[in-house]
Amino acid sequence: MDANTAYLTQNTPENVHTVEHPLSGGKTLEEILSNIEMTIIEEKEEHLIIDLVGIEAPIANALRRIMLSEVPTMAIEDINLWQNTSVIPDEVLAHRIGLIPIDADPRLFKFKHPNEEHSSENCICFKLHAVCRRLEDGSIVGDKVMSGDLQWQPFPNQQERFGHFKPVHDDIIIAKLGPGQEIEAELFCEKGIGATHTKWSPVCTASYRLAPKITLKKEIAGENAINLKNKCPMGVFDVKKGKAVVKNPRNCTSCRECIREDDSMVSLAKVKDHFIFTIETTGALSPRDIFREAIKELRDKAAFWLDKINIYKRTPKS
Amino acid sequence: MESSDNKKFSVAEDETGKGCTFAFTGEGHTIGNALRYLLIKNQDVEFCGYSVPHPAEPVMNIRLQTYKNPPLETLEASLNQLTSVCDLLLSKLDSKNI
Ligand code: SF4
């Protein structure tokens, strides 16, 4: 068995442990650093699939955790609700508004200290005024309050410096109004991190999985090959010239259907140091930027604690 | 960092000088496990483990015992290694041919 491969069998996963200590056969840091590979598999506006080969789980997991909860974004934090005659209670409405993703680069802003004023440096202000009316011909206008109804209220010289801010999507329903009902509010976005509240998380999800390694244990031909192809719901196998081949190993979801009845044909495995990251953004930062910011955040953390240690060393011990 | 003023570093040193428990206030598993992992790779480390004693308390402890060097220096070396791992990843991400 290959130490770098975990196997899926009919009953259990096998060979799943990892060895980190160099004296027990783990790799040294130098070996790891000289063999890291990064490949972008798919990059779209809203998601990124990136392969990280050669690192080990603690680093991969640190990056994943940071993307989820420590890369900052801007989100609505304070609301002055001047009027709310809709059926939605104030606090529920405020919570819904808070979750709207805002299209603003958080790197342009500073964190707001609790007793600091809102300013052009740490805040984006929006106004929301929605009234629903019944017109003379009986039709109703303004019954849906959408995220696109948020009006940006720039602070002095924000417009010259930053251009324009708005919610990422214009078509999120915030509330529904009946004729005569009204919502009027002032909203203040602040910079924050997902650990405080998920509304600040830059990702819909960021996850990794290990790369599947699928091999055929023997030559499979004829009807068996067609059966194997049809068995896999993810289209992993194909038949070429009457013989089964592994066509799309990355599609495998590890459902184990292909080995359920007969495990003599296919070997299902995972490469233990091949991490496939999937990053989906909420829209404020590009997924590549989120990944980059996560790495920077981890580096900043290390630098921060080095600094703290230096201060500790300089303070006299009692 | 958002709440950098609530972050504290403290050390409980053994009498032998070869063992230390470091407490990182304001940190969790993210850097705890990564640091533990890098420390384990160090040949001078006899023992290293980390824990978050209670999920509601923002404290992460690293227990470190070394053979030769002072544990605090070993910890610093690992933090520096973490920085270089990140630098390497950043350069890979920003290189043209990825
Ligand atoms: S485990 Fe499931 S998805 Fe993967 S190859 Fe087998 S049948 Fe297909």
Side-chain angles (χ1 to χ4, degrees):
Chain A
M1 267 190 199
D2 175 6
N4 197 27
T5 312
Y7 297 89
L8 293 158
T9 69
Q10 277 179 327
N11 304 309
T12 62
E14 276 174 14
N15 201 35
V16 289
H17 66 282
T18 46
V19 180
E20 285 170 355
H21 202 288
L23 291 183
S24 321
K27 288 185 200 148
T28 64
L29 193 62
E30 290 71 41
E31 275 170 353
I32 288 173
L33 289 184
S34 52
N35 287 315
I36 293 182
E37 270 172 49
M38 206 187 265
T39 329
I40 288 183
I41 302 298
E42 194 179 314
E43 187 168 22
K44 297 249 169 72
E45 206 176 313
E46 294 200 322
H47 81 220
L48 172 72
I49 300 175
I50 186 165
D51 271 23
L52 224 53
V53 190
I55 59 164
E56 290 181 285
I59 302 291
N61 197 38
L63 292 177
R64 182 192 64 85
R65 287 176 63 101
I66 291 175
M67 282 191 274
L68 286 172
S69 68
E70 282 177 78
V71 173
T73 59
M74 301 296 285
I76 296 164
E77 167 70 352
D78 289 334
I79 297 190
N80 292 335
L81 204 54
W82 302 122
Q83 183 65 283
N84 175 21
T85 50
S86 75
V87 292
I88 303 178
D90 292 357
E91 64 276 21
V92 180
L93 181 68
H95 180 248
R96 282 183 68 78
I97 289 174
L99 291 170
I100 298 169
I102 304 294
D103 188 6
D105 190 336
R107 291 166 291 192
L108 303 173
F109 291 88
K110 294 196 180 110
F111 284 106
K112 181 180 158 295
H113 207 264
N115 37 28
E116 221 175 355
E117 294 281 312
H118 291 298
S119 74
S120 62
E121 301 278 300
N122 61 22
C123 181
I124 304 170
C125 179
F126 289 99
K127 216 173 75 181
L128 174 66
H129 190 191
V131 191
C132 178
R133 280 196 198 87
R134 194 192 300 274
L135 299 182
E136 270 175 17
D137 62 355
S139 62
I140 294 172
V141 289
D143 58 332
K144 285 191 198 130
V145 187
M146 311 291 266
S147 53
D149 296 339
L150 299 189
Q151 307 251 323
W152 183 37
Q153 302 292 108
F155 280 93
N157 69 47
Q158 259 189 340
Q159 207 152 15
E160 297 84 73
R161 275 172 62 201
F162 304 133
H164 192 68
F165 293 125
K166 59 176 193 43
V168 175
H169 306 281
D170 285 342
D171 54 353
I172 303 170
I173 294 189
I174 299 172
K176 287 196 174 182
L177 303 179
Q181 296 181 344
E182 181 177 2
I183 292 174
E184 187 177 3
E186 226 179 343
L187 324 165
F188 299 94
C189 298
E190 286 173 21
K191 186 170 173 175
I193 57 170
T196 317
H197 191 291
T198 322
K199 67 185 175 189
W200 279 299
S201 182
V203 292
C204 294
T205 189
S207 63
Y208 61 73
R209 62 192 177 109
L210 295 179
K213 183 162 122 189
I214 300 168
T215 40
L216 299 177
K217 289 180 179 172
K218 56 185 183 197
E219 195 177 284
I220 302 160
E223 203 170 318
N224 282 347
I226 293 165
N227 282 345
L228 183 64
K229 182 185 171 188
N230 292 340
K231 240 183 219 173
C232 176
M234 301 306 294
V236 168
F237 304 103
D238 200 6
V239 183
K240 271 208 182 108
K241 293 185 189 141
K243 285 186 204 143
V245 289
V246 183
K247 196 172 110 204
N248 306 308
R250 295 174 74 98
N251 283 5
C252 176
T253 56
S254 309
C255 68
R256 295 186 290 169
E257 179 63 19
C258 54
I259 56 168
R260 186 167 61 90
E261 286 166 328
D262 175 7
D263 65 350
S264 67
M265 295 193 286
V266 179
S267 146
L268 289 176
K270 300 270 169 186
V271 187
K272 285 187 209 168
D273 67 349
H274 185 153
F275 296 85
I276 303 175
F277 275 82
T278 309
I279 304 160
E280 271 174 50
T281 169
T282 53
L285 288 170
S286 79
R288 198 197 267 244
D289 280 348
I290 294 172
F291 195 59
R292 185 183 295 115
E293 289 302 308
I295 302 172
K296 280 190 189 160
E297 197 66 41
L298 186 59
R299 189 183 63 186
D300 290 352
K301 259 179 195 292
F304 174 84
W305 288 108
L306 277 171
D307 208 42
K308 282 273 174 193
I309 292 173
N310 268 326
I311 297 171
Y312 168 84
K313 285 206 291 198
R314 270 186 274 127
T315 40
K317 312 286 172 303
S318 51
Chain B
M1 292 303 304
E2 192 195 27
S3 49
S4 52
D5 19 346
N6 327 333
K7 300 207 168 190
K8 268 194 224 83
F9 176 73
S10 58
V11 182
E13 201 173 343
D14 295 7
E15 279 161 17
T16 58
K18 294 279 164 67
C20 268
T21 302
F22 304 109
F24 297 75
T25 309
E27 287 294 351
H29 295 281
T30 305
I31 202 167
N33 195 26
L35 267 183
R36 188 219 96 247
Y37 160 79
L38 290 171
L39 282 161
I40 282 289
K41 299 266 182 215
N42 188 327
Q43 299 280 335
D44 187 44
V45 169
E46 181 191 25
F47 174 86
C48 180
Y50 87 100
S51 73
V52 178
H54 194 284
E57 273 177 24
V59 180
M60 185 270 294
N61 293 327
I62 290 185
R63 171 72 192 165
L64 179 61
Q65 285 164 220
T66 53
Y67 293 113
K68 265 201 341 270
N69 299 328
L72 190 61
E73 272 177 29
T74 315
L75 179 71
E76 280 185 290
S78 288
L79 281 165
N80 279 319
Q81 279 169 351
L82 186 55
T83 327
S84 50
V85 171
C86 293
D87 283 336
L88 181 77
L89 290 175
L90 274 180
S91 66
K92 298 249 174 199
L93 184 64
D94 289 328
S95 67
K96 293 272 179 313
N97 47 3
I98 147 166

